[in-house]
Amino acid sequence: MAIGWLSVLKAVPWTEVISNAPKVADGAKKLWNSVGKKAQPPAADAVPSSATDEDKSGALQARLSALEGATRELHEQMLASSEVIKALAEQNAQLVAGIEAARVRLRWLGGAMLATCLIVLASLGWWLSR
């Protein structure tokens, strides 16, 4: 099972993920700000009734009310979705920052390990040549 995850992680283009993470976070913030600032659709009682035929007027009012309710629900769903996208983008940015920090630490550890190996080999060579 771990081999499958390793192959998946190796297949990910990490340089592209790291370079695009700030763009994703900025895009999610822009989406959240644009969706969050939009006003709610008008309520059903704000529509004037100017029809002469009461049956058609009542049917049209009912359809209009249903459509406005559906529009409000869709707007609420869009707000919730954009909030989830924003949270995921922030988590992705934090994940990428953590991976980048781990990569830098790994490079430092690799350099320190190489220096240690060189010192050990030099000491061993010096000790054997005595």
Side-chain angles (χ1 to χ4, degrees):
M1 188 69 172
I3 295 173
W5 280 105
L6 288 176
S7 64
V8 169
L9 289 175
K10 287 179 183 178
V12 173
W14 289 108
T15 55
E16 291 180 27
V17 171
I18 290 170
S19 65
N20 288 330
K23 295 176 193 173
V24 171
D26 290 340
K29 286 178 187 176
K30 287 178 186 176
L31 175 65
W32 173 249
N33 290 335
S34 68
V35 170
K37 291 180 182 177
K38 289 186 179 179
Q40 287 282 343
D45 57 353
V47 179
S49 60
S50 61
T52 57
D53 190 13
E54 291 186 21
D55 290 338
K56 288 184 179 180
S57 175
L60 288 175
Q61 284 290 347
R63 286 182 63 195
L64 182 62
S65 296
L67 288 173
E68 286 175 343
T71 303
R72 274 193 297 279
E73 288 177 18
L74 288 173
H75 189 265
E76 290 170 3
Q77 289 175 1
M78 186 176 62
L79 283 173
S81 296
S82 64
E83 187 174 341
V84 168
I85 290 170
K86 178 185 174 193
L88 287 173
E90 288 173 355
Q91 289 176 359
N92 185 33
Q94 290 173 355
L95 177 65
V96 168
I99 289 172
E100 180 64 19
R103 186 189 67 81
V104 169
R105 275 185 260 145
L106 187 60
R107 290 224 176 191
W108 276 102
L109 286 173
M113 184 74 122
L114 180 64
T116 303
C117 287
L118 290 175
I119 291 171
V120 167
L121 286 175
S123 299
L124 185 63
W126 175 78
W127 186 75
L128 288 176
S129 68
R130 286 192 311 154

